[in-house]
Amino acid sequence: MSTYTPKHFTVTFPQEYIAHVEINRPQKLNAFFEEMWLELRTLFETLSPDPSVRVIILSGTGKAFTAGLDVQAASTGLLAPNETGDPARKAAHLRRHISSFQACISAIEHCEKPVIAAMHGFALGLAVDIATAADIRICAADTRFAVKEVDIGLAADIGTLSRLPKVVGSFGWVKDVALSARLFGADEALRVGFVSSVFEDKEVMVQGALEMAGLIASKSPVAVQGTKEILNWSRDRPVEDGLRYTSVWNSAALQTQDVQTALLSGIQKRKATFEKL
Amino acid sequence: MSTYTPKHFTVTFPQEYIAHVEINRPQKLNAFFEEMWLELRTLFETLSPDPSVRVIILSGTGKAFTAGLDVQAASTGLLAPNETGDPARKAAHLRRHISSFQACISAIEHCEKPVIAAMHGFALGLAVDIATAADIRICAADTRFAVKEVDIGLAADIGTLSRLPKVVGSFGWVKDVALSARLFGADEALRVGFVSSVFEDKEVMVQGALEMAGLIASKSPVAVQGTKEILNWSRDRPVEDGLRYTSVWNSAALQTQDVQTALLSGIQKRKATFEKL
Amino acid sequence: MSTYTPKHFTVTFPQEYIAHVEINRPQKLNAFFEEMWLELRTLFETLSPDPSVRVIILSGTGKAFTAGLDVQAASTGLLAPNETGDPARKAAHLRRHISSFQACISAIEHCEKPVIAAMHGFALGLAVDIATAADIRICAADTRFAVKEVDIGLAADIGTLSRLPKVVGSFGWVKDVALSARLFGADEALRVGFVSSVFEDKEVMVQGALEMAGLIASKSPVAVQGTKEILNWSRDRPVEDGLRYTSVWNSAALQTQDVQTALLSGIQKRKATFEKL
Amino acid sequence: MSTYTPKHFTVTFPQEYIAHVEINRPQKLNAFFEEMWLELRTLFETLSPDPSVRVIILSGTGKAFTAGLDVQAASTGLLAPNETGDPARKAAHLRRHISSFQACISAIEHCEKPVIAAMHGFALGLAVDIATAADIRICAADTRFAVKEVDIGLAADIGTLSRLPKVVGSFGWVKDVALSARLFGADEALRVGFVSSVFEDKEVMVQGALEMAGLIASKSPVAVQGTKEILNWSRDRPVEDGLRYTSVWNSAALQTQDVQTALLSGIQKRKATFEKL
Amino acid sequence: MSTYTPKHFTVTFPQEYIAHVEINRPQKLNAFFEEMWLELRTLFETLSPDPSVRVIILSGTGKAFTAGLDVQAASTGLLAPNETGDPARKAAHLRRHISSFQACISAIEHCEKPVIAAMHGFALGLAVDIATAADIRICAADTRFAVKEVDIGLAADIGTLSRLPKVVGSFGWVKDVALSARLFGADEALRVGFVSSVFEDKEVMVQGALEMAGLIASKSPVAVQGTKEILNWSRDRPVEDGLRYTSVWNSAALQTQDVQTALLSGIQKRKATFEKL
Amino acid sequence: MSTYTPKHFTVTFPQEYIAHVEINRPQKLNAFFEEMWLELRTLFETLSPDPSVRVIILSGTGKAFTAGLDVQAASTGLLAPNETGDPARKAAHLRRHISSFQACISAIEHCEKPVIAAMHGFALGLAVDIATAADIRICAADTRFAVKEVDIGLAADIGTLSRLPKVVGSFGWVKDVALSARLFGADEALRVGFVSSVFEDKEVMVQGALEMAGLIASKSPVAVQGTKEILNWSRDRPVEDGLRYTSVWNSAALQTQDVQTALLSGIQKRKATFEKL
């Protein structure tokens, strides 16, 4: 099992094949500073190929999923006042910085295993960047969301603007919340399809996440990981390109023993056991 | 009128310009084996240019739309146990097989005429591949759906993973059902936009499909077929490419007499009659 | 402030930074003829870089947002009966005409400032082309919508077929309304995500639009305009291309003084004032 | 070995794994009419999966590779004088006809095995459509080429305009020959990279084609067929998409026994023998 | 015939259907300032639909095609020293300025008629942006070219970097000349395919351009204009998208009378006369 | 200056702003094993943002640029004989391995500074993957090249098949060398545009590379790095997307002081000095 030990995240294995990652800086409502997103990347890159992990739950300790960027920390970094100096050179540094930050959050999307973002309390700004990079989003009834970035003078640049239009169906709603930075609640998040389930409180939600994760973890990992990958590829490309990629992918995947295992256990009405991947 | 007579489908013409295709293997809940998807392709390629057909309804006889792949038949074909042998050569055969299977189902999408998938009972696995290739999806209240493939150890490869994210708005919901293979009902299908109407039972649904088909069939076929084509093209490409394709398409289509016919019948408040196409 | 004075639109500035454009041909339910869409283009191209404008509301005077194309006018123009003559040469003229018409409506999408389409009464045909080019759509409870074009014998070619599948989540619903030309109301429009809010009547809706516009106008224009641009770019491209474009965009935008202004006003709990853009 | 016997083509197997297809209508300079391109499609679809074929040479009998479309035959078909009738309906028929014709020629590109077009005498119009769909082009010194279509009043629509800009490097040269329909010879074809070798006459060229084919046929068919497929995919897509497709493709292909066979024969300096594919 | 009279260009009609545009600021080696590129746009937008124009030749008066941007003029405009002020707001103005400038040069590419850039003397910086937007490039033996922009501290932004890699075959050569700003001559330009012909001097070149233009102008304008459009579309898209666009385009274009005219004149061995377009 | 010290590469700084990287395993003709490509990645990721580096030359010590993959080492790794075991699970490991290997070589393309590949002796297999990821390719007259991979039973998967068709103009030549694995020399490499210069021997070539590098290093680094980035972006995307990206990029880059510096030094005919980047 993965042995990487981040400082600002706890990783537990509540059940076989399920990793539970908790953002763990509760005294600051799990607000992120640079060390944290670098850790997040390393953590997901470690879990991604780990054969003892099949599903990952991502949630926050304390009162929030995350309140987003730690603005105080950023104000001496990415958001530091503009010193005089060559704007083109400053732009080069900003591009590197933003690209590196984006890559950290994209590690969730690139992780081979499905990731369930389980949110409660506050899920502001960077929380939405993170959640849209996950595969499934659920929340507690008390969650308050916002695409908060315009409120600090910037266009959200760590993924929300690229992924949110592909995650929910109503482009007008996306523009509404992204241009106004207004808060929205769990009901609205459910109605527009941003989350797929709302639970009465955090505890029940984590329980729900575990059940969902347990169900997915019981399936063939060859099938599950192929499904995540093909869905992400197809989302961004014409149907024809999606179909071709699928047939190339499955030309290897269908050679798995898991198909026989699954068919047999189906006939025998018993739980299948699949080799690690 | 088309004279192709498939073995496993019935084709009737309940009304002028409307073809009703029924999957007809009720003793097996309309489960598909290879001969059937080859027939499906030929059937839709025959109906596509048939000038006496303007809309197609696709439904199932007996107790199900279709229970999906006939797993028993497949277990001696596509899903046969992996014999020893060169995995690269086996992959080449699988690619050909999957690509050919995909092309059969894509015949529904490529059909020039709109296709309404009218589902009841069970709509599992391959049923979703078929339904997402159709233009409009409706169902009876009793329908039970599932993206079933992970349950038999594979990533759905006949179109569901490429088309479902483009057919409904919530990408998280798509991942939820595709990764868990869980059943969902008509209400959920309606809520997420997978179907556009739910009818109380199969009989009422077929009646509803006929009314919808009748309405579409009463319009100019030049307009209707152009609309299907341009929507499918635009779905997969940037808005600018969609606009340009539209203007090139309509540079021929607007020369139709149908515009005058439609305008005149509008003024005269009578039903327009359009030449066959 | 912009001094362009169109004949068929009124432009008022009900509040600092908010332009209210009204389609103003109420005696014809605001139906469009060529002079109007040319004016619309010039108008939005004038407002786009105007530093005193941050948000634009687009609505209609009288009893309708717009009943769409003025069919009577079009019947001697774009939709004129097909004279004999070389169909290829006629096609060239039609392509130019359609492309020019499309470019006029796309001026709304290309406008750097967010546009809120506020609809009431009738919103038929061209109304949907216009509304999908806007950023946010809201409506009064009495609004009756239709993708009307097939009823006059043509595939909608001024943007609806390219943009509607990207604006709402259910592709089946898009095909349903586009193939049948059937009317739908405010409730359905809200349910499928075509509009994001429904107001009891036109007056309340305009008030609602003003509040929404006021909120957006109070934010950093650097952040707001970047958000619109990046969302539109990302909608049409893979996530990776969206992320890269965002980092290049923000490498200049993050150098704005607005970030400091916004952060400071956040700390001091007072309204921020941002320099014009 | 394939047993399909076309009427207008001869197929021989001059050497193990090499099929030699000759266009065989010498009395008409191998000009094509509809039956021929339908045969061409069937022929290449038959050869594509045939395990006893690894490379295909395509040449012409008599005095020409092909003089292109049989204009006389076409003048009662695709190019028939425009009867009165609805231009939009005529356009629908033309679209079907052109798309079907294109698909016949694309069968060469989609063929899993490399195709060498070996040209002599005349290679006009459709000859270029055919040649650009092949993988490698060689010619005899006497060959006279032309993108002839504008000379009969039409834009080349069977592939030349889509493939030629991707086959040679100079876009200006492509426009020069496509807009002027001028003849060009073997030297020019070599200089711009349209052909990769010029041979003194047809006989020597066929010998050269056989040597090239023999060399390719001696390699692992897993490696060769993967190389063709990945090159075609990558040509049309961003580098990143090409790289990803390659890694998915090779995840199956690298499991082949051929790698060991090739390595071993390399060490032992003897000719490798690879299992059929 | 077009009656637009630009100040800095002369337009003559040396032959039926041929427009000869000359950049006419010889005292400054035809260096461009803003008024000129605005005129260029208007000029090409005027010529584009003019039925009496079928081909356009673009050359320069005096000793140069053009020495590029008038740096002196630009140094008080686009390239003015960076005043203090908000870099994000300055970036917004620069984006508008560059996009507008690009659109002016793209008018050459978007022009429906083929454009032959005939270059002599100096063809520096903006000259390459202009030439790559043209369809065919030819030059006099004395021409000296350079992608000059890095020498004034900027990446070429008016089209060279986007179009040059698609106009010539060697991407390494493109990077060589674009990164070094070094001069290259007519021979090198011919060898890499940047120009398709080199003439001994300007006079001979203009004669050569006229002959080439005359040849193109003698063809069906339906065929010629379709060829330009389809080649440009296909260059930027996958082969499959090119083929489909072609079939939709030609579904109208093949209905032209020009096909019969061309066929008949071919049989009768006489010059065809085509109706204006 | 970068302080990373790889084991299998030497890095020297022969001139201000120029890094010279040499592959340094001459006893094995610089054949690569895994440790080496991991080092290559780290090395280029270190040089990429290093402000004291403006251009990088990549060459080989001893008798070869590189003979490619160390097949002996690979035969116990990536190319190890296929053990029995689940082919789908083996595929997952191969995908990770290939993707990681590709990313190492792509570090050259992603490096912000131009990279000149200077080749001599042998440049086989992986050498071509590496060279196509560089910006400019030059070689000594004795160099022998081959796309060698089919000779060891596999399709080249580390970049050659995705990049070579975009680096040279003749797609037929690419297929010729990639399908046959045949050797080709410096003259052929120059003729097809794979290299842009051939030098008489290695020493002269390195001198030539230094001169070229020196010229590029003397330009504004803002201009040079923007040029590399925009060319790579544009190569893979439609012209319109290239133009837009350019205008967004330059909206920051044009604010540089370098433009004034360059203009002034141009007027004063003296060498410009640019601030580090």
Side-chain angles (χ1 to χ4, degrees), chain A residues 8 13 15 47 60 94 148 160 165 184 202 230 232 259 271:
Chain A
H8 305 288
F13 298 90
Q15 206 176 299
L47 295 171
L94 284 167
K148 200 64 186 163
T160 290
F184 58 96
K202 185 188 166 180
I230 295 170
N232 280 355
V259 172
K271 201 174 167 308

Side-chain angles (χ1 to χ4, degrees), chain D residues 27 89 130 239 246:
Chain D
Q27 71 285 12
R89 284 170 171 77
I130 289 171
V239 163
T246 307

Side-chain angles (χ1 to χ4, degrees), chain E residues 160-162 164-165 171 174-175 178-179, chain F residues 226-236:
Chain E
T160 290
L161 300 187
S162 296
L164 194 55
F171 197 42
V174 170
K175 285 192 169 156
L179 293 170
Chain F
T227 297
K228 169 170 179 169
E229 167 71 15
I230 295 170
L231 281 170
N232 281 354
W233 174 274
S234 293
R235 170 196 63 189
D236 281 350

Side-chain angles (χ1 to χ4, degrees), chain B:
Chain B
M1 214 164 291
S2 310
T3 56
Y4 171 67
T5 311
K7 264 172 65 184
H8 305 289
F9 298 85
T10 62
V11 187
T12 55
F13 298 90
Q15 207 174 300
E16 199 187 7
Y17 294 129
I18 302 179
H20 185 180
V21 173
E22 287 174 286
I23 314 169
N24 190 23
R25 197 191 178 211
Q27 71 284 14
K28 291 283 189 182
L29 292 174
N30 294 325
F32 275 70
F33 59 103
E34 188 167 13
E35 193 184 2
M36 288 174 76
W37 60 77
L38 293 171
E39 278 194 1
L40 183 77
R41 178 180 190 158
T42 306
L43 179 53
F44 275 89
E45 286 180 351
T46 307
L47 295 171
S48 179
D50 184 335
S52 62
V53 173
R54 291 194 180 165
V55 188
I56 299 163
I57 298 168
L58 176 64
S59 68
T61 55
K63 301 203 165 155
F65 177 64
T66 167
L69 193 69
D70 181 329
V71 172
Q72 208 174 339
S75 67
T76 62
L78 195 58
L79 304 182
N82 199 19
E83 301 150 43
T84 49
D86 195 59
R89 284 171 171 77
K90 179 142 200 214
H93 292 115
L94 285 167
R95 268 196 311 272
R96 286 175 199 149
H97 200 129
I98 299 168
S99 292
S100 153
F101 193 171
Q102 289 174 342
C104 291
I105 302 307
S106 290
I108 297 171
E109 185 168 293
H110 297 156
C111 174
E112 297 180 0
K113 316 300 167 52
V115 179
I116 300 169
M119 300 173 278
H120 77 288
F122 291 97
L124 308 178
L126 187 59
V128 180
D129 295 282
I130 290 171
T132 52
D135 296 289
I136 295 171
R137 283 155 295 284
I138 62 176
C139 72
D142 72 340
T143 320
R144 300 177 74 186
F145 302 91
V147 180
K148 200 65 187 162
E149 283 84 347
V150 297
D151 267 355
I152 53 170
L154 51 93
D157 51 6
I158 309 304
T160 290
L161 301 188
S162 294
R163 291 197 183 93
L164 193 54
K166 308 198 173 207
V167 157
V168 304
S170 173
F171 197 42
W173 179 83
V174 169
K175 285 193 168 156
D176 167 2
V177 294
L179 292 170
S180 70
R182 70 172 174 80
L183 288 168
F184 59 94
D187 284 356
E188 187 172 347
L190 183 65
R191 183 170 56 76
V192 299
F194 178 64
V195 299
S196 32
S197 312
V198 177
F199 295 86
E200 63 184 89
D201 60 25
K202 186 188 165 181
E203 200 177 348
V204 180
M205 173 190 70
V206 169
Q207 195 48 43
L210 273 169
E211 273 163 35
M212 187 180 287
L215 180 58
I216 297 173
S218 72
K219 313 287 176 181
S220 153
V222 169
V224 163
Q225 294 170 30
T227 298
K228 170 171 178 170
E229 167 69 15
I230 295 170
L231 281 171
N232 280 355
W233 174 275
S234 293
R235 168 198 63 189
D236 280 351
R237 290 173 182 84
V239 162
E240 288 303 322
D241 278 17
L243 292 173
R244 181 64 187 163
Y245 188 74
T246 306
S247 82
V248 176
W249 183 279
N250 265 9
S251 75
L254 282 188
Q255 298 188 40
T256 183
Q257 175 59 29
D258 291 14
V259 171
Q260 304 314 314
T261 306
L263 290 176
L264 199 64
S265 68
I267 292 162
Q268 300 176 342
K269 312 255 180 228
R270 55 167 183 73
K271 201 174 168 308
T273 308
F274 300 103
E275 196 189 329
K276 285 191 176 184
L277 169 59

Side-chain angles (χ1 to χ4, degrees), chain A residues 222-232, chain B residues 150 154-156 161 178-179:
Chain A
V222 169
V224 162
Q225 294 170 30
T227 297
K228 170 170 179 171
E229 168 69 16
I230 295 170
L231 281 171
N232 280 355
Chain B
V150 297
L154 51 93
L161 301 188
L179 292 170

Side-chain angles (χ1 to χ4, degrees), chain E residues 196-240:
Chain E
S196 31
S197 313
V198 176
F199 296 86
E200 62 184 89
D201 60 25
K202 185 188 164 181
E203 202 178 345
V204 181
M205 172 189 71
V206 169
Q207 195 50 41
L210 273 169
E211 274 163 35
M212 186 180 285
L215 180 58
I216 297 173
S218 72
K219 314 285 176 183
S220 154
V222 169
V224 163
Q225 294 170 30
T227 298
K228 170 170 178 169
E229 168 69 16
I230 295 171
L231 281 170
N232 280 355
W233 174 275
S234 293
R235 170 197 62 190
D236 280 350
R237 291 173 181 83
V239 163
E240 288 303 322

Side-chain angles (χ1 to χ4, degrees), chain A residues 71 79 81-82 87 91 94-95 99 102 110 151 153-155 157 161-162 166 169-172 175 179-180 235-236, chain C residues 135 137 166-169 193 219 223-224 231-232 234 237-240 242-244 246-247 250-251 255 260 262-263:
Chain A
V71 171
L79 304 181
N82 199 19
L94 284 167
R95 269 196 309 272
S99 292
Q102 288 175 341
H110 296 157
D151 267 356
L154 50 93
D157 51 6
L161 300 187
S162 295
K166 307 197 173 206
S170 172
F171 197 43
K175 284 193 167 156
L179 292 170
S180 70
R235 169 198 61 189
D236 279 351
Chain C
D135 296 288
R137 282 155 296 284
K166 309 199 172 206
V167 157
V168 304
K219 314 287 177 182
V224 162
L231 281 170
N232 280 355
S234 294
R237 292 173 180 83
V239 163
E240 288 303 321
L243 292 173
R244 181 65 186 163
T246 307
S247 82
N250 264 10
S251 74
Q255 298 188 40
Q260 305 314 313
L263 290 175

